[in-house]
């Protein structure tokens, strides 16, 4: 991961051998691109690093709200969902409607009701997200245990810096995506520059040989090249999964590659509510919830849109409930489509039925943040992000050290 000129190799009295065309241009691209986007890569990497353990930290900080500690729940009944919604509105006194609720299968855990309204026309994050709050609620009493302002929370701000530099999410993702695309080129050129040409060079490239090295420039060079090499292969995966959110062509390419040449996701928009409005009542949504929990008793939670009007006035093609199978990741999700008026189940789309392209697309977020296999992959993602954050710093120091060496005055004897 050298950001400067490639060290020459000795060829005897004939002098020093010049680097080949590919290595020469790889070196130039690596340097020029690194100097151009170094600070942006540093910000993106640091925020990604900070976000990795977001769930673990928040679960500890919110433990008293996540578990309601209601005694003897085996002998008690859950309140109807519409009753819970009314109680939350009464206690929170927000002028906006509740958007959706996350319902855990384990009834020892609290329900999470979300207020979420956006203004897509705003130019920055704080204007775009009008309200984003979560209320943790005891489902047996309707008591609100805690309300968290997700919009202004530390991890939400870290995430949006990483996502769009706090700019509007509609176009801010390109502002982040372009430097990430350039960073992908830097990873490739870095691997080319690192690749040793002979056995002696190979020995020095794989690990630190600092026993007799005192010069800071050499140590810094090794930190840049060796750590960069070991991080590069995971960084390639993290970079590509990050580009997934900025560029449609990356999404399409991944789906096409893993689905066996398919170009479109399955379309269930034709599966819609047919029953008359007169069949819907305040208990219809509870009927839907009972069916979800009967079909997926081993899942972690599921999300239900409460069907209220919202500022963005978006419309869904049908009434879908999404079931999250695992507590630590989102890559195993099931989709159930119901008749919103009668509560009848119209489609149960289990994760096992999805083609490989759908599964890869669905796993993209968990791969990107390292949650795909739980804590072990999160640790790998954390270390990789930390190394990526160090590369612009050590790369600049490589360049700076060489500039100083060039300017060093020649001593006259």
């Amino acid at each position: 991961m050298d950001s400067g000129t490639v060290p020459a190799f000795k060829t005897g009295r004939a002098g020093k051998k010049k680097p080949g065309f590919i290595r020469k241009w790889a070196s130039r691209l690596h340097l020029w691109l690194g100097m151009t986007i170094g600070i942006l890569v540093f910000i993106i990497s640091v925020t990604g690093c900070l976000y990795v353990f977001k769930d673990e930290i928040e679960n500890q900080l919110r433990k008293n709200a996540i578990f309601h500690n209601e005694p003897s729940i085996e002998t008690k009944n859950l309140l109807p969902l519409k009753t819970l919604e009314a109680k939350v509105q009464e206690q929170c006194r927000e002028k906006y409607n509740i958007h959706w609720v996350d319902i855990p299968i384990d009834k020892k855990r609290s329900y999470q009701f979300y207020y979420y309204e956006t203004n897509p026309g705003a130019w920055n994050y704080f204007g775009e997200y009008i309200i984003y709050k979560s209320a943790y609620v005891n489902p047996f009493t309707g008591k609100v245990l805690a309300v968290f302002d997700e919009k202004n929370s530390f991890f939400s701000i870290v995430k949006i810096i990483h996502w769009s530099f706090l700019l509007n999410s509609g176009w801010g993702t390109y502002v982040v995506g372009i430097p990430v695309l350039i960073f992908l080129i830097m990873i490739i050129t870095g691997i080319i520059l690192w690749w040793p040409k002979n056995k002696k060079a190979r020995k020095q490239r794989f690990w630190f040989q600092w026993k007799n090295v005192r010069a800071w420039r050499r140590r810094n060079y090794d930190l840049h090249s060796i750590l960069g090499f070991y991080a590069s292969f995971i960084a390639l995966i993290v970079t590509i999964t990050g580009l997934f959110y900025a560029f449609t062509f990356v999404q399409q390419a991944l789906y096409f590659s893993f689905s066996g040449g398919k170009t479109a996701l399955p379309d269930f928009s034709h599966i819609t509510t047919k029953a008359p409005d007169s069949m819907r009542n305040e208990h219809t949504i509870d009927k839907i919830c009972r069916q979800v929990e009967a079909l997926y008793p081993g899942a972690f939670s599921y999300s239900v849109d409460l069907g209220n009007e919202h500022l963005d006035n978006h419309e869904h093609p049908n009434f879908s409930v999404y079931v999250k199978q695992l507590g630590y990741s989102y890559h195993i999700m099931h989709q159930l489509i119901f008749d919103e008026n009668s509560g009848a189940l119209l489609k149960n789309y289990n994760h096992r039925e999805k083609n490989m392209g759908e599964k890869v697309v669905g796993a993209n977020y968990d791969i990107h943040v390292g949650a795909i296999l739980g804590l072990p992959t999160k640790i790998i993602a954390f270390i990789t992000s930390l190394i990526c954050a160090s590369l612009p710093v050590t790369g600049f120091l490589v360049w700076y050290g060489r500039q100083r060496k060039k300017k060093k005055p020649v001593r006259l004897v």
Side-chain angles (χ1 to χ4, degrees), residues 102-118:
D102 284 349
I103 301 175
I105 299 297
D106 180 2
K107 299 310 175 188
K108 295 177 183 177
R109 303 175 73 96
S110 304
Y111 284 20
Q112 290 173 250
F113 287 80
Y114 285 89
Y115 291 95
Y116 183 84
E117 299 292 346
T118 62

PDB file of all heavy atoms in Angstrom, residues 102-118:
ATOM      1  N   ASP A 102     -41.953  -2.484  16.250  1.00  0.00           N
ATOM      2  CA  ASP A 102     -41.180  -3.727  16.235  1.00  0.00           C
ATOM      3  C   ASP A 102     -41.660  -4.583  17.399  1.00  0.00           C
ATOM      4  O   ASP A 102     -41.593  -4.147  18.563  1.00  0.00           O
ATOM      5  CB  ASP A 102     -39.684  -3.444  16.380  1.00  0.00           C
ATOM      6  CG  ASP A 102     -39.065  -2.927  15.093  1.00  0.00           C
ATOM      7  OD1 ASP A 102     -39.731  -2.979  14.048  1.00  0.00           O
ATOM      8  OD2 ASP A 102     -37.906  -2.472  15.132  1.00  0.00           O
ATOM      9  N   ILE A 103     -42.125  -5.787  17.091  1.00  0.00           N
ATOM     10  CA  ILE A 103     -42.704  -6.663  18.101  1.00  0.00           C
ATOM     11  C   ILE A 103     -41.797  -7.874  18.313  1.00  0.00           C
ATOM     12  O   ILE A 103     -41.582  -8.658  17.376  1.00  0.00           O
ATOM     13  CB  ILE A 103     -44.107  -7.134  17.677  1.00  0.00           C
ATOM     14  CG1 ILE A 103     -45.019  -5.917  17.457  1.00  0.00           C
ATOM     15  CG2 ILE A 103     -44.699  -8.084  18.702  1.00  0.00           C
ATOM     16  CD1 ILE A 103     -46.394  -6.268  16.932  1.00  0.00           C
ATOM     17  N   PRO A 104     -41.253  -8.055  19.502  1.00  0.00           N
ATOM     18  CA  PRO A 104     -40.403  -9.222  19.764  1.00  0.00           C
ATOM     19  C   PRO A 104     -41.241 -10.474  19.977  1.00  0.00           C
ATOM     20  O   PRO A 104     -42.356 -10.402  20.511  1.00  0.00           O
ATOM     21  CB  PRO A 104     -39.654  -8.828  21.039  1.00  0.00           C
ATOM     22  CG  PRO A 104     -40.600  -7.907  21.748  1.00  0.00           C
ATOM     23  CD  PRO A 104     -41.343  -7.156  20.668  1.00  0.00           C
ATOM     24  N   ILE A 105     -40.711 -11.609  19.567  1.00  0.00           N
ATOM     25  CA  ILE A 105     -41.404 -12.873  19.829  1.00  0.00           C
ATOM     26  C   ILE A 105     -41.328 -13.200  21.320  1.00  0.00           C
ATOM     27  O   ILE A 105     -42.293 -13.693  21.910  1.00  0.00           O
ATOM     28  CB  ILE A 105     -40.783 -14.008  18.991  1.00  0.00           C
ATOM     29  CG1 ILE A 105     -40.924 -13.710  17.499  1.00  0.00           C
ATOM     30  CG2 ILE A 105     -41.427 -15.347  19.337  1.00  0.00           C
ATOM     31  CD1 ILE A 105     -42.340 -13.631  16.984  1.00  0.00           C
ATOM     32  N   ASP A 106     -40.186 -12.895  21.923  1.00  0.00           N
ATOM     33  CA  ASP A 106     -40.004 -13.087  23.364  1.00  0.00           C
ATOM     34  C   ASP A 106     -40.748 -11.975  24.100  1.00  0.00           C
ATOM     35  O   ASP A 106     -40.340 -10.804  24.049  1.00  0.00           O
ATOM     36  CB  ASP A 106     -38.513 -13.055  23.704  1.00  0.00           C
ATOM     37  CG  ASP A 106     -38.236 -13.252  25.190  1.00  0.00           C
ATOM     38  OD1 ASP A 106     -39.202 -13.451  25.958  1.00  0.00           O
ATOM     39  OD2 ASP A 106     -37.056 -13.193  25.583  1.00  0.00           O
ATOM     40  N   LYS A 107     -41.820 -12.314  24.788  1.00  0.00           N
ATOM     41  CA  LYS A 107     -42.655 -11.291  25.416  1.00  0.00           C
ATOM     42  C   LYS A 107     -42.054 -10.737  26.714  1.00  0.00           C
ATOM     43  O   LYS A 107     -42.680  -9.908  27.382  1.00  0.00           O
ATOM     44  CB  LYS A 107     -44.055 -11.847  25.691  1.00  0.00           C
ATOM     45  CG  LYS A 107     -44.774 -12.277  24.416  1.00  0.00           C
ATOM     46  CD  LYS A 107     -44.742 -11.185  23.340  1.00  0.00           C
ATOM     47  CE  LYS A 107     -45.349 -11.660  22.032  1.00  0.00           C
ATOM     48  NZ  LYS A 107     -45.163 -10.685  20.938  1.00  0.00           N
ATOM     49  N   LYS A 108     -40.846 -11.164  27.061  1.00  0.00           N
ATOM     50  CA  LYS A 108     -40.134 -10.517  28.156  1.00  0.00           C
ATOM     51  C   LYS A 108     -39.521  -9.194  27.702  1.00  0.00           C
ATOM     52  O   LYS A 108     -39.118  -8.376  28.523  1.00  0.00           O
ATOM     53  CB  LYS A 108     -39.020 -11.435  28.685  1.00  0.00           C
ATOM     54  CG  LYS A 108     -39.515 -12.714  29.334  1.00  0.00           C
ATOM     55  CD  LYS A 108     -38.352 -13.585  29.761  1.00  0.00           C
ATOM     56  CE  LYS A 108     -38.846 -14.912  30.342  1.00  0.00           C
ATOM     57  NZ  LYS A 108     -37.705 -15.805  30.690  1.00  0.00           N
ATOM     58  N   ARG A 109     -39.473  -9.026  26.404  1.00  0.00           N
ATOM     59  CA  ARG A 109     -38.897  -7.808  25.827  1.00  0.00           C
ATOM     60  C   ARG A 109     -39.994  -6.790  25.538  1.00  0.00           C
ATOM     61  O   ARG A 109     -41.154  -7.147  25.280  1.00  0.00           O
ATOM     62  CB  ARG A 109     -38.128  -8.130  24.547  1.00  0.00           C
ATOM     63  CG  ARG A 109     -37.021  -9.162  24.734  1.00  0.00           C
ATOM     64  CD  ARG A 109     -36.371  -9.529  23.423  1.00  0.00           C
ATOM     65  NE  ARG A 109     -35.526  -8.449  22.941  1.00  0.00           N
ATOM     66  CZ  ARG A 109     -34.206  -8.379  23.139  1.00  0.00           C
ATOM     67  NH1 ARG A 109     -33.584  -9.335  23.822  1.00  0.00           N
ATOM     68  NH2 ARG A 109     -33.501  -7.377  22.660  1.00  0.00           N
ATOM     69  N   SER A 110     -39.617  -5.532  25.548  1.00  0.00           N
ATOM     70  CA  SER A 110     -40.559  -4.437  25.287  1.00  0.00           C
ATOM     71  C   SER A 110     -40.856  -4.309  23.799  1.00  0.00           C
ATOM     72  O   SER A 110     -40.026  -4.655  22.952  1.00  0.00           O
ATOM     73  CB  SER A 110     -39.981  -3.120  25.804  1.00  0.00           C
ATOM     74  OG  SER A 110     -39.664  -3.204  27.169  1.00  0.00           O
ATOM     75  N   TYR A 111     -42.033  -3.776  23.488  1.00  0.00           N
ATOM     76  CA  TYR A 111     -42.355  -3.401  22.122  1.00  0.00           C
ATOM     77  C   TYR A 111     -41.674  -2.047  21.846  1.00  0.00           C
ATOM     78  O   TYR A 111     -41.532  -1.218  22.744  1.00  0.00           O
ATOM     79  CB  TYR A 111     -43.862  -3.245  21.934  1.00  0.00           C
ATOM     80  CG  TYR A 111     -44.636  -4.539  21.849  1.00  0.00           C
ATOM     81  CD1 TYR A 111     -44.117  -5.745  22.339  1.00  0.00           C
ATOM     82  CD2 TYR A 111     -45.909  -4.561  21.281  1.00  0.00           C
ATOM     83  CE1 TYR A 111     -44.848  -6.920  22.255  1.00  0.00           C
ATOM     84  CE2 TYR A 111     -46.650  -5.741  21.201  1.00  0.00           C
ATOM     85  CZ  TYR A 111     -46.115  -6.920  21.695  1.00  0.00           C
ATOM     86  OH  TYR A 111     -46.830  -8.076  21.612  1.00  0.00           O
ATOM     87  N   GLN A 112     -41.281  -1.839  20.583  1.00  0.00           N
ATOM     88  CA  GLN A 112     -40.670  -0.564  20.202  1.00  0.00           C
ATOM     89  C   GLN A 112     -41.553   0.134  19.169  1.00  0.00           C
ATOM     90  O   GLN A 112     -41.706  -0.354  18.043  1.00  0.00           O
ATOM     91  CB  GLN A 112     -39.273  -0.788  19.622  1.00  0.00           C
ATOM     92  CG  GLN A 112     -38.245  -1.249  20.648  1.00  0.00           C
ATOM     93  CD  GLN A 112     -36.925  -1.612  19.985  1.00  0.00           C
ATOM     94  OE1 GLN A 112     -36.548  -2.777  19.915  1.00  0.00           O
ATOM     95  NE2 GLN A 112     -36.234  -0.604  19.493  1.00  0.00           N
ATOM     96  N   PHE A 113     -42.123   1.261  19.570  1.00  0.00           N
ATOM     97  CA  PHE A 113     -42.949   2.067  18.678  1.00  0.00           C
ATOM     98  C   PHE A 113     -42.090   3.205  18.126  1.00  0.00           C
ATOM     99  O   PHE A 113     -41.366   3.865  18.888  1.00  0.00           O
ATOM    100  CB  PHE A 113     -44.149   2.638  19.426  1.00  0.00           C
ATOM    101  CG  PHE A 113     -45.202   1.611  19.749  1.00  0.00           C
ATOM    102  CD1 PHE A 113     -45.050   0.749  20.831  1.00  0.00           C
ATOM    103  CD2 PHE A 113     -46.342   1.498  18.971  1.00  0.00           C
ATOM    104  CE1 PHE A 113     -46.012  -0.198  21.133  1.00  0.00           C
ATOM    105  CE2 PHE A 113     -47.316   0.550  19.260  1.00  0.00           C
ATOM    106  CZ  PHE A 113     -47.154  -0.303  20.340  1.00  0.00           C
ATOM    107  N   TYR A 114     -42.199   3.441  16.825  1.00  0.00           N
ATOM    108  CA  TYR A 114     -41.328   4.421  16.172  1.00  0.00           C
ATOM    109  C   TYR A 114     -42.109   5.588  15.587  1.00  0.00           C
ATOM    110  O   TYR A 114     -43.091   5.396  14.856  1.00  0.00           O
ATOM    111  CB  TYR A 114     -40.525   3.765  15.047  1.00  0.00           C
ATOM    112  CG  TYR A 114     -39.395   2.900  15.550  1.00  0.00           C
ATOM    113  CD1 TYR A 114     -39.605   1.556  15.826  1.00  0.00           C
ATOM    114  CD2 TYR A 114     -38.115   3.433  15.753  1.00  0.00           C
ATOM    115  CE1 TYR A 114     -38.566   0.751  16.300  1.00  0.00           C
ATOM    116  CE2 TYR A 114     -37.082   2.640  16.216  1.00  0.00           C
ATOM    117  CZ  TYR A 114     -37.314   1.305  16.488  1.00  0.00           C
ATOM    118  OH  TYR A 114     -36.292   0.525  16.956  1.00  0.00           O
ATOM    119  N   TYR A 115     -41.649   6.792  15.914  1.00  0.00           N
ATOM    120  CA  TYR A 115     -42.080   8.012  15.235  1.00  0.00           C
ATOM    121  C   TYR A 115     -41.035   8.297  14.156  1.00  0.00           C
ATOM    122  O   TYR A 115     -39.824   8.374  14.453  1.00  0.00           O
ATOM    123  CB  TYR A 115     -42.126   9.192  16.202  1.00  0.00           C
ATOM    124  CG  TYR A 115     -43.212   9.107  17.245  1.00  0.00           C
ATOM    125  CD1 TYR A 115     -42.952   8.590  18.511  1.00  0.00           C
ATOM    126  CD2 TYR A 115     -44.503   9.555  16.972  1.00  0.00           C
ATOM    127  CE1 TYR A 115     -43.941   8.531  19.482  1.00  0.00           C
ATOM    128  CE2 TYR A 115     -45.504   9.489  17.932  1.00  0.00           C
ATOM    129  CZ  TYR A 115     -45.221   8.979  19.186  1.00  0.00           C
ATOM    130  OH  TYR A 115     -46.200   8.914  20.135  1.00  0.00           O
ATOM    131  N   TYR A 116     -41.491   8.467  12.919  1.00  0.00           N
ATOM    132  CA  TYR A 116     -40.533   8.630  11.826  1.00  0.00           C
ATOM    133  C   TYR A 116     -41.187   9.438  10.709  1.00  0.00           C
ATOM    134  O   TYR A 116     -42.113   8.968  10.051  1.00  0.00           O
ATOM    135  CB  TYR A 116     -40.113   7.259  11.302  1.00  0.00           C
ATOM    136  CG  TYR A 116     -39.075   7.275  10.205  1.00  0.00           C
ATOM    137  CD1 TYR A 116     -37.727   7.357  10.509  1.00  0.00           C
ATOM    138  CD2 TYR A 116     -39.455   7.173   8.868  1.00  0.00           C
ATOM    139  CE1 TYR A 116     -36.770   7.351   9.502  1.00  0.00           C
ATOM    140  CE2 TYR A 116     -38.518   7.163   7.849  1.00  0.00           C
ATOM    141  CZ  TYR A 116     -37.168   7.242   8.179  1.00  0.00           C
ATOM    142  OH  TYR A 116     -36.229   7.241   7.179  1.00  0.00           O
ATOM    143  N   GLU A 117     -40.732  10.678  10.536  1.00  0.00           N
ATOM    144  CA  GLU A 117     -41.236  11.540   9.468  1.00  0.00           C
ATOM    145  C   GLU A 117     -40.056  12.215   8.788  1.00  0.00           C
ATOM    146  O   GLU A 117     -39.097  12.637   9.456  1.00  0.00           O
ATOM    147  CB  GLU A 117     -42.182  12.601  10.025  1.00  0.00           C
ATOM    148  CG  GLU A 117     -43.429  12.054  10.716  1.00  0.00           C
ATOM    149  CD  GLU A 117     -44.403  11.371   9.776  1.00  0.00           C
ATOM    150  OE1 GLU A 117     -44.262  11.545   8.545  1.00  0.00           O
ATOM    151  OE2 GLU A 117     -45.296  10.658  10.263  1.00  0.00           O
ATOM    152  N   THR A 118     -40.119  12.305   7.471  1.00  0.00           N
ATOM    153  CA  THR A 118     -39.015  12.895   6.719  1.00  0.00           C
ATOM    154  C   THR A 118     -39.494  13.985   5.763  1.00  0.00           C
ATOM    155  O   THR A 118     -40.670  14.020   5.373  1.00  0.00           O
ATOM    156  CB  THR A 118     -38.272  11.820   5.902  1.00  0.00           C
ATOM    157  OG1 THR A 118     -39.179  11.230   4.951  1.00  0.00           O
ATOM    158  CG2 THR A 118     -37.700  10.741   6.803  1.00  0.00           C
TER     159      THR A 118
END
